Amino acid sequence: MAVLENIRKRTTVLILIIGLALFAFVISGVFTSSNFGGDKVGSSVAEINGEDISIDEFRQEVEVASNRIGPTASNMQVVNQVWENKIRKTILGEQFEDLGIGIEQDQIVDFLRTTGYAQNPQFQDQNGQFDANMFKQTVADWKVNNPAQYEAWLQTEAEIVQLAKEQTYFNMVKAGVGATLKEGELDYKLANEKMDIKYVRVPYTSIPDSTITVTKSEIADYVSKHKEEYKQDPARDLQYVFFQEKPSEADETAIKEEITKLLDDTIEYNSQTDRNDTIRGFRNTKDVAAFLDRYSDTKFDTIFKAKKNLPSSVADTLMSLNIGQIYGPYKDGDSYKISKMIARKPNGSVKASHILLAYEGATRANPEVKRTKEEAEAKAKELLREAKKSGVVFSTLARDNSDGPSAPNGGDLGYFQRGVMVPAFNDFAFGNSEGSIGMVETDFGFHVIKIDDKEDVVQIATVSREIVASEETINTLFTNATKFEMETTDDESAFSTLAKEGNYVVRPVNKIKALDENLPGLPNQRNIVQWAFNGDTEVGDIKRFNINNGYAVVQLTGSYAEGVMSAEDASVLVLPKIRKERKAAKIIAANKGKDMSAIASDNGVSVSNASALTVKSPTIPGAGSEPVVVGTAYGMAEGATSGLIEGNTGIFKIEIVKKTEAPKLDNYSVYANALKTGAAARVNTAVYNALKEGAEIEDKRATFY
C-alpha cells in the first residue's frame, strides 16, 4: 500500500517519464537524486548523480565477477561489465528509493517461480515443481552446513532482489502506457492508405561536388550551430610498426633437418658403459610410444582414424602407406612432421542407418510408446520387408516410423567403429557387407538396420616438431626493433620514411578511446592505450612495447580533447551536408515556377510514376527512401501538384494521380493494442536509456585501469 500511495503522489512524474522515455528518449532533471550508499573508503572510480563510487568497492566487484566469468574475458571486459551494472543499479536505485519500492521475502519467492531458478532440483518437490518450503529449507541448510554455498547464494539473492525491483518498477511504467482507438486508426491508415503519384526528380549528383566551394570558416560556423551533433570524447591517433616474432626461412630449414635426422639410427657414446650405443631411429624403433615421448612435440595417438580425420593435404598419401612405411618430413600448419603407418583395420568404420521400434518397458523408451514387445517385433518385420523392396527410400521409412532420436535425420547414425554400439547392433554392422539390410533386437527395441558405407581406419604414429623462431632470430628482431625506435626518436618526423627504408609496414590507428584495449592487429594492448592517454605523452612521442609475440614501436600522431570537434576533424562529416544544402538551393533557384515537364526537359531527367505508396513504406522506385516526399503527398488532395520538395536524394515536384483510402473497419482495437504492446516492449530499454542519458556520470576508470 505504501508503494501505491507513493505512485499516486507521483502520477504526474510517471506520466512525464513515460512520455519522455518513449518519444524523446531523454530525461533531464525529472527525478531527485539521493546519496544512499554512505561514505566510501579510498578514491572514487566514478561519480553518478553526485554519488561517489568507491574504487575499493568497485575492485571487489570486479574480482568477484572475474572469478565468476573465468579466463574467457579480458580484465577490461570484466571492468566494463561491472561498470555498466554499477551505473544501472545506482540510477535505478535512486528511482526505487524515491518511489519506496522494496522486496519482501514472499516477493522473492514469487519472483523465483518465474525464473530459471525454479528449475533447480534442490528447490523442487518430488513432482519436479518449485516448492517454496524446500527453497527456504535448502538455503537454511546451506547457512549451517555449507557457508561457502550460502555466501554465493547471498550474492545471487542480491541479484534476484535487483531484478525483482526492476520488474516492479518497469511494470509500473508499463501500466501507464496505452494507445487510443484514434491512434490505432491513424496507424492503420498510415499503413494502408495508398497513393499513386507522378514525379520529377533532379538528383543532387547532377551538380558535381567540385563546383561547390566550402571554406574552413564555413565548416566551423556549421559546427558551431550544430554543437550537439559534433561532440567528441577524448581520443588519440597512433601509428605503429609491428616487429613480429616468427621463424625465418633458416629456422624452418634447421627444424626440417633436425626432424629428418630422427629417421635413421645414430651412434651415441655411453659414459657409464664406456662404449658406443646404437640409438634406433623412427624408421627402426620397436617402441614407438617411447620414441615419440622423447623426440616429438606430440605423444603417440593410439586411436584408429578414418581418412577424413587425417590432415587433408596428406590424407590420400597417408592412407596409401603400407604397414611400417614412412612419409615425410612434410609441413602441416606450424609444424614439420614424419608419419609412420602402424596398423590398419579394413572396413574398420561403418556408416549405418536404422529404424527403431521401441515398446513399452524398453530401455529409454518414450513414455508415449504404448505398443507391446510383440507388436514392435511384428512392425519391425513389416518394415524390414518394405525396406528391402526395390525403389524404397530407407531414410523416408526411418523419418516416418522410427522411435529413435535419429529419425529426423532419416535414421542416419553416421560413422562408428567397433564397440561403440551395443553387441547385437555392432555384430550386424561389422559382420555384413555395404548395402545389407537386416533386423536385430536390443534392450532398446527392434532395429531395422541398413549398412550405408564402410571405410578403412588406420593407426598412424607421427613425429612432430613445431616451427619456432630461433634464439638468433629473436635477438635480431629485438635489435631491429630497438634500432628503429632509437632512430625515429631522434627524428620523430621520419617515422614513415625510416619504416619504408626498412621495408616495415606502418599501421595507422584512429580515434582510440581512453578505455579501449584492442588495436587493429594488436589485441589486448591496454598498456599502449594508457601510454597514449598519459598526461606526459605528447603528439610525436615514440615508444617500444614488448607484446606477446614481438615488439610494437608506437608513435602518438593525434590528440582530441573532450568537447566540440574542430573544423578539421568535423570536415569529413560536415562537407557532404553543406554541399547538399548548396546543391538543393541551386536546383530550387533554377527550377522555381516551372512545371514538371519543363523541369524534366531543362535538367535532362524524365517524369516518372510511382504507385501504391504508403507513409509506413516511403520508398519511391528509382529514388529510394523519401519519407519527406511521401509525407508531403499524404497531406495533398488528389489532382494537386506540389511545390519543389527537398528530398534525401534530390529535389522533387509531385502530382497526386490517385489516392485510395483504406477500407474502414468497425473497430481499430487490434491496431491500438499493437501500438500499446510495441510501446510496452520498449519501456525497459527506453526508460533506462533515458535515465542514463539524463544522469550526470563522471567516469574515472581510466585512472585505475
Side-chain angles (χ1 to χ4, degrees):
M1 291 302 293
V3 171
L4 291 175
E5 184 62 27
N6 270 310
I7 294 170
R8 293 191 186 100
K9 291 178 181 178
R10 294 168 172 78
T11 302
T12 303
V13 175
L14 281 175
I15 292 173
L16 188 56
I17 294 174
I18 296 161
L20 292 178
L22 294 180
F23 302 105
F25 295 92
V26 175
I27 294 180
S28 178
V30 176
F31 298 104
T32 59
S33 63
S34 58
N35 188 342
F36 56 89
D39 294 333
K40 301 294 190 295
V41 177
S43 304
S44 65
V45 70
E47 185 177 303
I48 304 174
N49 285 340
E51 179 186 353
D52 282 333
I53 305 300
S54 163
I55 181 59
D56 303 299
E57 173 190 321
F58 189 82
R59 280 174 173 155
Q60 288 176 3
E61 293 187 24
V62 169
E63 183 178 355
V64 171
S66 181
N67 292 335
R68 183 177 68 247
I69 296 172
T72 57
S74 69
N75 184 59
M76 281 307 297
Q77 287 175 321
V78 177
V79 167
N80 293 337
Q81 185 181 94
V82 172
W83 170 258
E84 291 301 326
N85 290 339
K86 198 70 177 176
I87 292 177
R88 185 179 184 90
K89 289 175 69 174
T90 303
I91 291 175
L92 291 177
E94 293 175 354
Q95 307 309 308
F96 302 158
E97 184 176 354
D98 192 42
L99 291 171
I101 297 175
I103 300 298
E104 303 297 333
Q105 188 182 63
D106 289 344
Q107 290 174 286
I108 295 176
V109 172
D110 289 339
F111 181 78
L112 282 173
R113 297 181 192 277
T114 66
T115 68
Y117 294 106
Q119 305 305 315
N120 187 331
Q122 293 176 290
F123 301 159
Q124 294 176 341
D125 59 21
Q126 58 185 6
N127 297 318
Q129 301 297 314
F130 178 77
D131 186 307
N133 290 326
M134 289 195 67
F135 157 67
K136 294 175 183 178
Q137 290 172 9
T138 300
V139 173
D141 180 68
W142 287 342
K143 185 175 183 179
V144 176
N145 300 312
N146 194 340
Q149 180 72 49
Y150 181 68
E151 286 299 318
W153 165 252
L154 290 181
Q155 294 178 15
T156 301
E157 186 179 60
E159 294 173 0
I160 292 172
V161 169
Q162 177 70 15
L163 289 173
K165 286 182 178 180
E166 289 186 17
Q167 186 181 76
T168 300
Y169 174 71
F170 289 126
N171 284 344
M172 290 177 184
V173 179
K174 289 176 184 178
V177 174
T180 65
L181 291 177
K182 274 296 181 184
E183 290 173 317
E185 182 180 359
L186 175 61
D187 189 64
Y188 167 75
K189 288 182 177 180
L190 294 178
N192 293 282
E193 289 193 351
K194 295 179 173 57
M195 299 163 285
D196 298 345
I197 67 169
K198 183 187 294 184
Y199 73 93
V200 63
R201 177 185 66 129
V202 182
Y204 297 127
T205 54
S206 64
I207 300 178
D209 286 352
S210 59
T211 64
I212 307 295
T213 302
V214 182
T215 66
K216 181 178 177 180
S217 62
E218 288 172 332
I219 294 174
D221 288 342
Y222 188 95
V223 172
S224 180
K225 293 175 183 177
H226 303 83
K227 291 180 180 179
E228 289 297 318
E229 297 178 32
Y230 298 100
K231 284 185 176 180
Q232 67 179 9
D233 294 324
R236 301 289 185 268
D237 288 343
L238 305 172
Q239 62 180 359
Y240 72 90
V241 170
F242 180 33
F243 293 82
Q244 185 177 9
E245 185 180 297
K246 59 182 180 181
S248 64
E249 290 185 13
D251 294 335
E252 283 202 28
T253 301
I255 291 170
K256 184 177 181 180
E257 290 175 353
E258 285 179 13
I259 199 171
T260 302
K261 290 178 181 178
L262 296 174
L263 277 170
D264 298 316
D265 299 349
T266 57
I267 305 298
E268 288 187 8
Y269 173 70
N270 189 328
S271 60
Q272 293 179 343
T273 61
D274 191 27
R275 57 183 294 178
N276 290 329
D277 291 340
T278 299
I279 307 301
R280 291 185 181 275
F282 188 49
R283 199 186 306 277
N284 299 318
T285 183
K286 301 300 183 182
D287 190 340
V288 171
F291 187 91
L292 296 187
D293 281 344
R294 182 175 181 182
Y295 297 109
S296 175
D297 290 342
T298 55
K299 294 184 179 296
F300 180 36
D301 186 353
T302 59
I303 296 175
F304 281 78
K305 295 180 179 179
K307 177 182 174 181
K308 65 177 179 293
N309 300 124
L310 300 176
S312 58
S313 60
V314 294
D316 288 330
T317 302
L318 295 181
M319 289 298 294
S320 66
L321 295 176
N322 296 321
I323 303 299
Q325 193 172 358
I326 286 175
Y327 174 70
Y330 61 92
K331 191 175 179 182
D332 180 27
D334 295 327
S335 297
Y336 268 112
K337 297 179 178 180
I338 299 175
S339 294
K340 182 178 184 179
M341 178 68 72
I342 303 299
R344 178 189 298 272
K345 292 180 180 178
N347 295 327
S349 179
V350 173
K351 184 177 186 292
S353 303
H354 80 139
I355 305 170
L356 172 63
L357 277 303
Y359 51 85
E360 191 171 11
T363 300
R364 297 183 193 170
N366 190 311
E368 296 179 1
V369 174
K370 300 300 181 184
R371 68 169 72 93
T372 64
K373 182 176 181 179
E374 291 73 18
E375 290 171 337
E377 183 178 13
K379 180 67 174 178
K381 290 179 178 178
E382 178 187 333
L383 289 171
L384 175 63
R385 290 191 294 271
E386 184 68 19
K388 289 183 175 182
K389 291 180 180 178
S390 176
V392 171
V393 179
F394 190 89
S395 60
T396 302
L397 282 180
R399 266 192 293 270
D400 294 342
N401 297 280
S402 180
D403 296 321
S406 63
N409 298 323
D412 186 4
L413 297 170
Y415 285 92
F416 53 89
Q417 295 187 32
R418 287 185 183 274
V420 173
M421 298 298 182
V422 293
F425 200 111
N426 182 86
D427 292 346
F428 180 86
F430 288 93
N432 291 278
S433 60
E434 181 182 336
S436 298
I437 300 175
M439 187 184 85
V440 300
E441 179 186 354
T442 72
D443 292 341
F444 300 98
F446 294 90
H447 307 257
V448 178
I449 306 171
K450 179 176 181 292
I451 301 175
D452 299 313
D453 188 27
K454 289 194 171 187
E455 61 182 5
D456 291 358
V457 290
V458 294
Q459 186 186 63
I460 292 179
T462 298
V463 180
S464 175
R465 284 286 179 88
E466 184 182 3
I467 304 170
V468 294
S470 64
E471 185 175 348
E472 180 183 354
T473 298
I474 293 172
N475 290 339
T476 301
L477 183 74
F478 174 76
T479 301
N480 291 340
T482 303
K483 180 182 177 183
F484 181 74
E485 178 194 15
M486 294 174 64
E487 290 177 344
T488 52
T489 301
D490 292 339
D491 184 0
E492 296 170 353
S493 63
F495 193 94
S496 297
T497 303
L498 291 171
K500 186 175 182 180
E501 291 176 359
N503 291 321
Y504 305 135
V505 177
V506 177
R507 305 182 186 184
V509 183
N510 297 322
K511 297 288 183 72
I512 62 171
K513 302 295 178 62
L515 290 167
D516 286 346
E517 63 174 336
N518 296 316
L519 306 179
L522 293 177
N524 299 322
Q525 296 304 318
R526 181 70 190 142
N527 56 339
I528 295 179
V529 178
Q530 288 174 321
W531 168 79
F533 280 88
N534 188 303
D536 296 332
T537 305
E538 298 179 352
V539 172
D541 284 0
I542 293 169
K543 185 174 181 180
R544 174 175 52 82
F545 292 88
N546 298 349
I547 56 180
N548 290 337
N549 56 338
Y551 308 94
V553 179
V554 185
Q555 182 177 42
L556 181 64
T557 57
S559 178
Y560 306 88
E562 183 176 9
V564 180
M565 290 182 181
S566 66
E568 291 85 352
D569 296 335
S571 62
V572 68
L573 302 172
V574 173
L575 267 175
K577 295 183 178 181
I578 295 178
R579 285 177 180 149
K580 183 178 176 181
E581 288 180 359
R582 301 272 178 87
K583 290 179 181 182
K586 278 190 173 186
I587 295 171
I588 290 173
N591 294 281
K592 194 171 183 179
K594 296 179 182 179
D595 62 20
M596 294 174 66
S597 297
I599 293 173
S601 176
D602 293 347
N603 292 276
V605 295
S606 59
V607 177
S608 303
N609 293 286
S611 58
L613 301 178
T614 68
V615 175
K616 283 288 189 80
S617 301
T619 299
I620 300 176
S625 178
E626 291 290 351
V628 173
V629 178
V630 176
T632 301
Y634 186 76
M636 295 169 59
E638 189 172 304
T641 301
S642 74
L644 294 172
I645 306 170
E646 191 173 330
N648 283 340
T649 60
I651 301 300
F652 290 76
K653 191 178 185 72
I654 65 173
E655 177 187 331
I656 307 301
V657 177
K658 181 182 178 183
K659 296 190 78 170
T660 305
E661 291 188 4
K664 291 186 178 181
L665 303 179
D666 294 334
N667 191 295
Y668 296 94
S669 59
V670 172
Y671 291 88
N673 289 336
L675 287 175
K676 178 180 178 181
T677 301
R682 297 192 298 273
V683 161
N684 291 28
T685 301
V687 171
Y688 172 68
N689 287 343
L691 290 168
K692 184 178 178 181
E693 180 72 21
E696 294 182 3
I697 302 174
E698 184 180 357
D699 185 354
K700 306 175 188 176
R701 279 177 293 166
T703 305
F704 302 97
Y705 295 96

